[in-house]
Structure formats: C-alpha cells, structure tokens
Amino acid sequence: TRRVACKKNMANINYRIDIYNIEHDSPPMDWKNDLKIYFAHEIPDCPGSGTYVVERPSPDGTGIGEISCTYHGFYYDEGEDRE
C-alpha cells in the first residue's frame, strides 16, 4: 500500500539522517539539501502526495525531531514499537 511505501521512505530518510549525524557529529540543519548526497538519485517522495517534514534540531544543536508525512502521519505511530 501507499502507507507502507511511505513508511519505508521515512525509514530510509531516517537512516540517512543517522549517517549524516555520525559523519558530521551534528544533525542536518537543512535536511533536504544536506542529505542529497546520501541518495543515489533523489530523496524519495511520498507516494500519497504528502510532504515529508523533519523537525529542526533544537537551538543547542542536539537531536533532530521525528520525520512525518503530511498525508500518512509520523514514522512511528502511537502503539508501534520504535525498536
């Protein structure tokens, strides 16, 4: 389904955010621009015409918010195992 494909895309983006964090010792400030080099072609789009949103890091530069889709919701929905 489109929801499953969207969740896979968000997992893929989260993975690349993790790689960026490891390589740069900080989260991406402009995730769409900063992560382009980590994808062979381009950052995937939601198959349901949603838009992926990643919360900006906190002012002290720690952490990056959860990724979500404007159509399908958060990568981790309530009740889902986050492990």
Side-chain angles (χ1 to χ4, degrees):
T1 67
R2 289 182 182 181
R3 180 177 172 81
V4 171
C6 179
K7 295 273 185 173
K8 287 181 180 181
N9 285 346
M10 287 191 281
N12 196 359
I13 293 168
N14 266 345
Y15 175 72
R16 275 137 174 104
I17 288 172
D18 289 343
I19 292 171
Y20 184 95
N21 286 340
I22 291 167
E23 291 182 354
H24 298 273
D25 201 28
S26 67
M29 295 303 286
D30 177 3
W31 73 272
K32 286 184 181 178
N33 189 47
D34 294 342
L35 297 182
K36 284 180 183 179
I37 63 168
Y38 295 94
F39 289 89
H41 301 288
E42 58 187 36
I43 297 174
D45 292 323
C46 170
S49 300
T51 300
Y52 294 129
V53 178
V54 176
E55 292 178 19
R56 305 254 353 229
S58 60
D60 66 1
T62 59
I64 188 162
E66 290 191 52
I67 187 169
S68 65
C69 172
T70 57
Y71 186 80
H72 293 105
F74 283 95
Y75 173 56
Y76 296 113
D77 291 329
E78 281 192 38
E80 283 189 312
D81 184 9
R82 293 178 181 238
E83 298 292 319

